[in-house]
Amino acid sequence: MSTTANLGYDVFVNEPPPQDGFLPNGEPKRFSPMASTLIYGGEDAVLTDPGMTEDQADVLGDWVAAKDRNLTDIFITHGHGDHWFAAGLLAERFGARVVATAGTIAQMHGSLATRPLLWDKVYTGIPPSSVTAVTVPDNRFTLEGHDLVMVEVGHTDSDDTSVLHVPDLGLVVAGDSIYNGVHMYLGQSAVGGFGPWRDAIDKIEALQPRHIVCGHQNKQLDDDAGRTIAQTRQYLDDADELLRTETTAVGFFNAKIERYPAYLGRLVLWVSASSLYGVREHPEGNPAQIILNSWL
Ligand SMILES: [Zn+2]
């Protein structure tokens, strides 16, 4: 928790939903923990990325309710369903508006379309969802007079991602642009490489945040902006190096675990490795299909 004058924020990291199957090293598959941020003033509050399943929404909703603020808005950083399929439940419970950039809203429709092919095959308990998010003028809204700015950063772990900048807190809520102690989802960089992601990190650094809340983080770690930015860059550099030196997806998976033994989210690491090597090994194939199959 961090507070400045009458503005503060607090972070809730959820439990990954249950899942069938095993990774190449024999570990059970398990999704990554995801973080929601509550930015609050004396009376009102704004929530980010409310999660995916009904169970997650219940637990998060109780946490929000205990803060005893009027929830005005729910901001979605990017289109991936793990960040927003439960948004409708929270919006209804608190009478809040759902907001996002136009790019994110388009990506949310895309995630909804792939839901039966991917998300519902892997996870139970995802509520019926529809895209109710709206844009705001100049990607800017306020909380008790403090600016909250949606900054578009382009392709990171998916297309058209954004972050929420709260200048008065020195805070960036980064979604999946920056990671913190959790394996990064590299699958959607299988075509095009990590250049756009590195550009996005530069854009976030230029905002000069002191704190970064990452969409996927180990809750034991702090939210130091300099450290999380440096580690996110290093993870991409290591991925580029291992793509040159490792000849198989399993080799990449094992080498990453050796370099990052404490990182959570090895399912996502395996999906990333399968996608990167699958696309490389099947240049005639459809990358979107190869990436989707890597999840199943
Ligand atoms: Zn995510």
Side-chain angles (χ1 to χ4, degrees), residues 1-10 37-41 46 143 146-148 164-173 207-213 223 225:
M1 183 155 49
S2 181
T3 313
T4 302
N6 57 345
L7 194 66
Y9 72 96
D10 204 353
T37 305
L38 190 78
I39 303 153
Y40 57 87
V46 169
L143 172 63
H146 300 277
D147 271 335
L148 306 185
L164 190 66
H165 183 211
V166 190
D168 289 345
L169 285 173
L171 170 69
V172 165
V173 178
L207 300 171
Q208 299 186 307
R210 293 190 302 280
H211 312 284
I212 294 182
V213 178
D223 61 6

Coordinates of all heavy atoms in Angstrom, one line a residue, residues 1-10 37-41 46 143 146-148 164-173 207-213 223 225:
M1 N 0.9 -1.2 0.0 CA 0.0 0.0 0.0 C 0.9 1.2 0.0 O 1.9 1.3 0.7 CB -0.9 0.0 1.2 CG -1.9 1.1 1.2 SD -3.4 0.8 2.2 CE -2.8 0.2 3.7
S2 N 0.5 2.2 -0.8 CA 1.2 3.5 -0.8 C 0.2 4.6 -0.9 O -0.8 4.6 -1.6 CB 2.1 3.5 -2.1 OG 2.9 4.6 -2.1
T3 N 0.5 5.7 -0.2 CA -0.4 6.8 -0.1 C 0.3 8.2 -0.3 O 1.4 8.3 0.2 CB -1.1 6.9 1.3 OG1 -1.6 5.6 1.5 CG2 -2.3 7.8 1.3
T4 N -0.3 9.1 -1.1 CA 0.3 10.4 -1.2 C -0.9 11.4 -1.0 O -1.9 11.3 -1.7 CB 0.8 10.6 -2.6 OG1 1.8 9.7 -2.9 CG2 1.4 12.0 -2.7
A5 N -0.8 12.2 0.0 CA -1.9 13.2 0.4 C -3.1 12.4 0.5 O -3.2 11.4 1.3 CB -2.0 14.3 -0.6
N6 N -4.1 12.7 -0.4 CA -5.4 12.0 -0.3 C -5.6 10.9 -1.4 O -6.7 10.6 -1.7 CB -6.6 12.9 -0.2 CG -6.6 13.8 -1.5 OD1 -5.6 13.9 -2.2 ND2 -7.7 14.5 -1.7
L7 N -4.5 10.5 -2.0 CA -4.6 9.5 -3.0 C -3.6 8.3 -2.7 O -2.5 8.5 -2.2 CB -4.1 10.1 -4.4 CG -4.4 9.3 -5.6 CD1 -5.9 9.3 -5.9 CD2 -3.7 10.0 -6.8
G8 N -4.1 7.1 -2.9 CA -3.3 5.9 -2.6 C -3.6 4.8 -3.5 O -4.5 4.9 -4.3
Y9 N -2.9 3.7 -3.4 CA -3.2 2.5 -4.1 C -2.8 1.3 -3.4 O -2.0 1.3 -2.5 CB -2.5 2.5 -5.5 CG -1.0 2.2 -5.5 CD1 -0.5 1.0 -5.7 CD2 -0.2 3.3 -5.2 CE1 0.8 0.7 -5.7 CE2 1.2 3.0 -5.2 CZ 1.7 1.8 -5.4 OH 3.0 1.5 -5.4
D10 N -3.5 0.2 -3.7 CA -3.3 -1.1 -3.1 C -3.4 -2.2 -4.1 O -4.2 -2.0 -5.1 CB -4.2 -1.3 -1.9 CG -3.7 -2.3 -0.8 OD1 -2.6 -2.9 -1.1 OD2 -4.4 -2.4 0.2
T37 N -5.2 -3.6 -9.3 CA -4.8 -2.4 -8.5 C -6.1 -1.6 -8.1 O -6.9 -1.4 -9.0 CB -3.8 -1.6 -9.2 OG1 -2.7 -2.4 -9.6 CG2 -3.3 -0.4 -8.4
L38 N -6.2 -1.2 -6.9 CA -7.2 -0.3 -6.5 C -6.5 1.1 -6.2 O -5.7 1.2 -5.3 CB -8.0 -0.8 -5.2 CG -9.2 0.1 -4.9 CD1 -10.4 -0.3 -5.9 CD2 -9.7 -0.1 -3.5
I39 N -6.9 2.1 -7.0 CA -6.4 3.4 -6.8 C -7.5 4.2 -6.1 O -8.7 4.1 -6.6 CB -6.0 4.1 -8.1 CG1 -5.0 3.2 -8.8 CG2 -5.5 5.5 -7.9 CD1 -5.0 3.4 -10.3
Y40 N -7.3 4.8 -4.9 CA -8.4 5.3 -4.2 C -8.1 6.7 -3.6 O -6.9 7.1 -3.3 CB -8.8 4.4 -3.0 CG -7.6 4.1 -2.1 CD1 -7.3 4.9 -1.0 CD2 -6.8 3.0 -2.3 CE1 -6.3 4.7 -0.1 CE2 -5.7 2.8 -1.4 CZ -5.5 3.6 -0.4 OH -4.4 3.4 0.4
G41 N -9.2 7.5 -3.5 CA -9.1 8.8 -2.8 C -9.9 8.6 -1.5 O -10.0 7.5 -1.0
V46 N -10.8 3.5 -8.2 CA -10.8 2.9 -9.6 C -10.0 1.6 -9.5 O -9.0 1.5 -8.8 CB -10.0 3.9 -10.5 CG1 -9.7 3.2 -11.9 CG2 -10.8 5.2 -10.8
L143 N -9.8 10.8 -10.9 CA -10.3 10.3 -9.6 C -10.1 11.4 -8.6 O -9.0 11.8 -8.2 CB -9.4 9.1 -9.2 CG -9.6 8.5 -7.8 CD1 -11.0 8.0 -7.6 CD2 -8.6 7.4 -7.5
H146 N -7.6 14.0 -9.6 CA -6.3 13.5 -10.0 C -6.4 12.8 -11.4 O -7.3 12.0 -11.6 CB -5.7 12.5 -9.0 CG -5.5 13.0 -7.6 ND1 -4.4 13.7 -7.2 CD2 -6.4 13.0 -6.5 CE1 -4.6 14.1 -6.0 NE2 -5.7 13.6 -5.5
D147 N -5.4 13.1 -12.3 CA -5.4 12.6 -13.6 C -5.1 11.1 -13.6 O -4.1 10.7 -12.9 CB -4.4 13.3 -14.5 CG -5.0 14.5 -15.2 OD1 -6.2 14.5 -15.4 OD2 -4.2 15.4 -15.5
L148 N -5.9 10.3 -14.3 CA -5.5 8.9 -14.7 C -5.4 8.8 -16.2 O -6.4 9.1 -16.9 CB -6.6 7.9 -14.1 CG -6.9 8.0 -12.7 CD1 -7.9 6.9 -12.3 CD2 -5.7 7.9 -11.8
L164 N -1.8 2.3 -17.3 CA -2.5 3.4 -16.6 C -1.4 4.2 -15.9 O -0.8 3.7 -15.0 CB -3.6 2.9 -15.7 CG -4.5 4.1 -15.2 CD1 -5.3 4.7 -16.3 CD2 -5.4 3.5 -14.1
H165 N -1.3 5.5 -16.2 CA -0.3 6.3 -15.6 C -1.0 7.2 -14.6 O -2.0 7.9 -14.9 CB 0.4 7.2 -16.6 CG 1.5 8.1 -16.1 ND1 1.8 9.3 -16.6 CD2 2.3 7.9 -15.0 CE1 2.8 9.8 -15.9 NE2 3.1 9.0 -14.9
V166 N -0.6 7.2 -13.3 CA -1.1 8.1 -12.3 C 0.0 9.0 -11.8 O 0.8 8.7 -10.9 CB -1.6 7.2 -11.1 CG1 -2.4 8.1 -10.1 CG2 -2.5 6.1 -11.6
P167 N 0.2 10.1 -12.5 CA 1.3 11.0 -12.2 C 1.4 11.4 -10.7 O 2.5 11.4 -10.2 CB 1.1 12.2 -13.1 CG 0.2 11.8 -14.2 CD -0.7 10.7 -13.6
D168 N 0.3 11.6 -10.1 CA 0.4 12.1 -8.7 C 0.9 11.0 -7.7 O 1.2 11.3 -6.6 CB -1.0 12.6 -8.2 CG -1.3 14.0 -8.9 OD1 -0.4 14.6 -9.5 OD2 -2.5 14.4 -8.9
L169 N 0.9 9.8 -8.2 CA 1.4 8.7 -7.3 C 2.8 8.2 -7.8 O 3.3 7.3 -7.3 CB 0.4 7.5 -7.3 CG -0.8 7.7 -6.4 CD1 -1.8 6.5 -6.6 CD2 -0.4 7.8 -4.9
G170 N 3.2 8.7 -9.0 CA 4.4 8.1 -9.6 C 4.2 6.7 -10.0 O 5.2 5.9 -9.9
L171 N 3.0 6.4 -10.3 CA 2.6 5.0 -10.5 C 2.3 4.7 -12.0 O 1.6 5.5 -12.6 CB 1.4 4.7 -9.6 CG 0.6 3.4 -9.8 CD1 1.5 2.2 -9.4 CD2 -0.7 3.4 -9.1
V172 N 2.7 3.5 -12.4 CA 2.2 3.0 -13.7 C 1.6 1.6 -13.4 O 2.3 0.7 -12.8 CB 3.3 2.9 -14.8 CG1 2.9 2.0 -15.9 CG2 3.6 4.3 -15.3
V173 N 0.4 1.4 -13.8 CA -0.2 0.0 -13.7 C 0.0 -0.5 -15.1 O -0.6 -0.1 -16.1 CB -1.7 0.1 -13.4 CG1 -2.3 -1.3 -13.4 CG2 -1.9 0.8 -12.0
L207 N 7.9 7.8 -18.7 CA 6.9 8.3 -17.8 C 7.5 8.5 -16.4 O 6.9 9.1 -15.6 CB 5.7 7.4 -17.7 CG 4.9 7.1 -19.0 CD1 3.9 6.0 -18.8 CD2 4.2 8.4 -19.5
Q208 N 8.7 8.0 -16.2 CA 9.5 8.2 -15.0 C 8.7 7.7 -13.7 O 8.7 8.5 -12.7 CB 10.0 9.6 -14.8 CG 10.9 10.1 -16.0 CD 11.5 11.4 -15.8 OE1 10.8 12.4 -15.5 NE2 12.8 11.5 -15.8
P209 N 8.1 6.5 -13.8 CA 7.4 6.1 -12.6 C 8.4 5.7 -11.5 O 9.5 5.3 -11.8 CB 6.7 4.8 -13.2 CG 7.5 4.3 -14.3 CD 8.1 5.6 -14.9
R210 N 7.9 5.8 -10.3 CA 8.6 5.2 -9.2 C 8.1 3.8 -8.9 O 8.9 2.9 -8.4 CB 8.5 6.1 -7.9 CG 9.1 7.4 -8.0 CD 9.1 8.2 -6.7 NE 7.8 8.3 -6.1 CZ 6.9 9.3 -6.5 NH1 7.3 10.1 -7.5 NH2 5.7 9.4 -6.0
H211 N 6.8 3.6 -9.1 CA 6.2 2.3 -8.8 C 5.6 1.7 -10.1 O 5.0 2.5 -10.8 CB 5.1 2.4 -7.8 CG 5.5 3.3 -6.6 ND1 6.3 2.8 -5.6 CD2 5.2 4.5 -6.3 CE1 6.5 3.7 -4.7 NE2 5.8 4.8 -5.1
I212 N 5.8 0.4 -10.3 CA 5.1 -0.2 -11.4 C 4.3 -1.5 -10.8 O 5.0 -2.3 -10.2 CB 6.0 -0.7 -12.5 CG1 6.6 0.6 -13.2 CG2 5.3 -1.5 -13.5 CD1 7.6 0.3 -14.3
V213 N 3.0 -1.5 -11.0 CA 2.3 -2.7 -10.7 C 2.2 -3.5 -12.0 O 1.7 -3.1 -13.0 CB 0.9 -2.4 -10.2 CG1 0.1 -3.7 -9.9 CG2 0.9 -1.6 -8.9
D223 N 7.3 -3.2 -5.7 CA 6.9 -2.7 -7.1 C 7.9 -1.6 -7.6 O 7.4 -0.6 -8.2 CB 5.5 -2.2 -7.0 CG 5.3 -1.0 -6.1 OD1 6.3 -0.5 -5.5 OD2 4.1 -0.6 -5.8
A225 N 10.1 0.5 -9.8 CA 10.0 0.6 -11.2 C 11.3 0.3 -11.9 O 11.3 -0.4 -12.9 CB 9.5 2.1 -11.6

